[in-house]
Short mmCIF file of all heavy atoms in Angstrom, two decimals:
data_model
loop_
_atom_site.label_atom_id
_atom_site.label_comp_id
_atom_site.label_asym_id
_atom_site.label_seq_id
_atom_site.Cartn_x
_atom_site.Cartn_y
_atom_site.Cartn_z
N GLY A 291 14.41 -26.42 3.82
CA GLY A 291 15.34 -25.76 2.81
C GLY A 291 15.28 -26.53 1.50
O GLY A 291 16.00 -26.17 0.50
N ASP A 292 14.55 -27.67 1.43
CA ASP A 292 14.47 -28.41 0.18
C ASP A 292 13.73 -27.56 -0.94
O ASP A 292 13.17 -26.58 -0.53
CB ASP A 292 13.78 -29.73 0.34
CG ASP A 292 14.66 -30.65 1.19
OD1 ASP A 292 15.85 -30.43 1.31
OD2 ASP A 292 14.11 -31.71 1.61
N ASP A 293 13.60 -28.04 -2.00
CA ASP A 293 12.82 -27.49 -3.15
C ASP A 293 11.43 -27.25 -2.76
O ASP A 293 10.73 -28.20 -2.50
CB ASP A 293 12.94 -28.33 -4.41
CG ASP A 293 12.51 -27.52 -5.60
OD1 ASP A 293 11.75 -26.62 -5.58
OD2 ASP A 293 12.95 -27.99 -6.78
N THR A 294 10.96 -26.00 -2.75
CA THR A 294 9.57 -25.70 -2.34
C THR A 294 8.49 -26.36 -3.38
O THR A 294 7.44 -26.44 -3.08
CB THR A 294 9.44 -24.16 -2.30
OG1 THR A 294 10.39 -23.64 -1.40
CG2 THR A 294 8.05 -23.73 -1.89
N ARG A 295 9.00 -26.69 -4.52
CA ARG A 295 8.03 -27.34 -5.47
C ARG A 295 7.38 -28.52 -4.85
O ARG A 295 6.24 -28.86 -5.29
CB ARG A 295 8.83 -27.66 -6.75
CG ARG A 295 9.17 -26.43 -7.56
CD ARG A 295 10.22 -26.82 -8.65
NE ARG A 295 10.40 -25.59 -9.45
CZ ARG A 295 11.30 -24.65 -9.04
NH1 ARG A 295 11.93 -24.72 -7.88
NH2 ARG A 295 11.46 -23.49 -9.77
N ALA A 296 8.04 -29.11 -3.91
CA ALA A 296 7.51 -30.41 -3.29
C ALA A 296 6.17 -30.11 -2.56
O ALA A 296 5.48 -31.05 -2.26
CB ALA A 296 8.49 -30.93 -2.32
N ILE A 297 5.79 -28.88 -2.32
CA ILE A 297 4.55 -28.63 -1.59
C ILE A 297 3.34 -28.78 -2.60
O ILE A 297 2.19 -28.88 -2.27
CB ILE A 297 4.37 -27.24 -0.82
CG1 ILE A 297 4.39 -26.11 -1.82
CG2 ILE A 297 5.52 -27.10 0.11
CD1 ILE A 297 4.04 -24.76 -1.16
N GLY A 298 3.67 -28.70 -3.94
CA GLY A 298 2.58 -28.70 -4.96
C GLY A 298 1.61 -29.86 -4.77
O GLY A 298 0.43 -29.64 -4.66
N PRO A 299 2.14 -31.13 -4.70
CA PRO A 299 1.23 -32.30 -4.62
C PRO A 299 0.40 -32.24 -3.26
O PRO A 299 -0.70 -32.75 -3.24
CB PRO A 299 2.14 -33.49 -4.60
CG PRO A 299 3.47 -32.96 -5.28
CD PRO A 299 3.51 -31.50 -4.94
N ILE A 300 0.96 -31.59 -2.26
CA ILE A 300 0.25 -31.55 -0.95
C ILE A 300 -1.02 -30.62 -1.09
O ILE A 300 -2.11 -30.87 -0.61
CB ILE A 300 1.13 -31.07 0.23
CG1 ILE A 300 2.40 -31.99 0.27
CG2 ILE A 300 0.44 -31.15 1.51
CD1 ILE A 300 3.48 -31.56 1.31
N LEU A 301 -0.79 -29.53 -1.84
CA LEU A 301 -1.89 -28.62 -2.09
C LEU A 301 -3.03 -29.31 -2.87
O LEU A 301 -4.18 -29.23 -2.61
CB LEU A 301 -1.45 -27.40 -2.92
CG LEU A 301 -0.30 -26.52 -2.36
CD1 LEU A 301 -0.12 -25.36 -3.27
CD2 LEU A 301 -0.59 -26.11 -0.96
N VAL A 302 -2.62 -30.16 -3.78
CA VAL A 302 -3.62 -30.98 -4.65
C VAL A 302 -4.35 -31.93 -3.75
O VAL A 302 -5.59 -32.04 -3.83
CB VAL A 302 -2.91 -31.57 -5.80
CG1 VAL A 302 -4.06 -32.40 -6.68
CG2 VAL A 302 -2.17 -30.62 -6.73
N GLU A 303 -3.65 -32.66 -2.84
CA GLU A 303 -4.29 -33.63 -1.86
C GLU A 303 -5.37 -32.82 -1.11
O GLU A 303 -6.39 -33.33 -0.81
CB GLU A 303 -3.22 -34.10 -0.81
CG GLU A 303 -2.43 -35.31 -1.31
CD GLU A 303 -1.40 -35.60 -0.28
OE1 GLU A 303 -1.76 -35.58 0.97
OE2 GLU A 303 -0.23 -35.79 -0.63
N GLY A 304 -4.93 -31.60 -0.64
CA GLY A 304 -5.83 -30.75 0.16
C GLY A 304 -7.11 -30.51 -0.62
O GLY A 304 -8.23 -30.55 -0.09
N HIS A 305 -6.99 -30.13 -1.87
CA HIS A 305 -8.16 -29.88 -2.71
C HIS A 305 -9.10 -31.03 -2.78
O HIS A 305 -10.27 -31.00 -2.68
CB HIS A 305 -7.81 -29.28 -4.08
CG HIS A 305 -9.01 -28.94 -4.88
ND1 HIS A 305 -9.73 -27.75 -4.59
CD2 HIS A 305 -9.67 -29.52 -5.86
CE1 HIS A 305 -10.71 -27.71 -5.43
NE2 HIS A 305 -10.78 -28.75 -6.18
N THR A 306 -8.50 -32.23 -3.12
CA THR A 306 -9.30 -33.52 -3.23
C THR A 306 -10.09 -33.68 -1.98
O THR A 306 -11.22 -34.09 -2.04
CB THR A 306 -8.28 -34.67 -3.58
OG1 THR A 306 -7.50 -34.25 -4.71
CG2 THR A 306 -9.07 -35.86 -3.91
N SER A 307 -9.31 -33.56 -0.84
CA SER A 307 -10.10 -33.76 0.43
C SER A 307 -11.24 -32.74 0.64
O SER A 307 -12.25 -33.19 1.14
CB SER A 307 -9.00 -33.60 1.52
OG SER A 307 -9.55 -33.87 2.77
N LEU A 308 -10.98 -31.54 0.33
CA LEU A 308 -12.11 -30.49 0.43
C LEU A 308 -13.24 -30.79 -0.50
O LEU A 308 -14.39 -30.54 -0.15
CB LEU A 308 -11.52 -29.11 0.23
CG LEU A 308 -10.59 -28.58 1.27
CD1 LEU A 308 -9.74 -27.41 0.87
CD2 LEU A 308 -11.42 -28.16 2.65
N ARG A 309 -12.92 -31.28 -1.67
CA ARG A 309 -13.88 -31.58 -2.71
C ARG A 309 -14.75 -32.82 -2.31
O ARG A 309 -15.94 -32.81 -2.26
CB ARG A 309 -13.26 -31.75 -4.06
CG ARG A 309 -14.19 -31.95 -5.18
CD ARG A 309 -13.43 -32.35 -6.48
NE ARG A 309 -12.77 -33.69 -6.26
CZ ARG A 309 -11.81 -34.16 -6.94
NH1 ARG A 309 -11.21 -33.41 -7.88
NH2 ARG A 309 -11.19 -35.35 -6.64
N ASP A 310 -14.01 -33.89 -1.96
CA ASP A 310 -14.63 -35.21 -1.83
C ASP A 310 -15.15 -35.51 -0.39
O ASP A 310 -16.16 -36.09 -0.23
CB ASP A 310 -13.68 -36.27 -2.35
CG ASP A 310 -13.40 -36.18 -3.83
OD1 ASP A 310 -14.05 -35.34 -4.49
OD2 ASP A 310 -12.45 -36.75 -4.29
N ASP A 311 -14.32 -35.16 0.61
CA ASP A 311 -14.67 -35.38 1.99
C ASP A 311 -15.34 -34.28 2.63
O ASP A 311 -16.42 -34.51 3.26
CB ASP A 311 -13.35 -35.72 2.78
CG ASP A 311 -13.05 -37.21 2.68
OD1 ASP A 311 -13.83 -37.97 2.24
OD2 ASP A 311 -11.88 -37.57 3.12
#
Side-chain angles (χ1 to χ4, degrees):
D292 288 352
D293 191 340
T294 301
R295 286 167 180 79
I297 71 173
I300 308 177
L301 303 184
V302 181
E303 276 175 43
H305 184 75
T306 307
S307 179
L308 288 163
R309 184 191 65 201
D310 299 343
D311 274 347

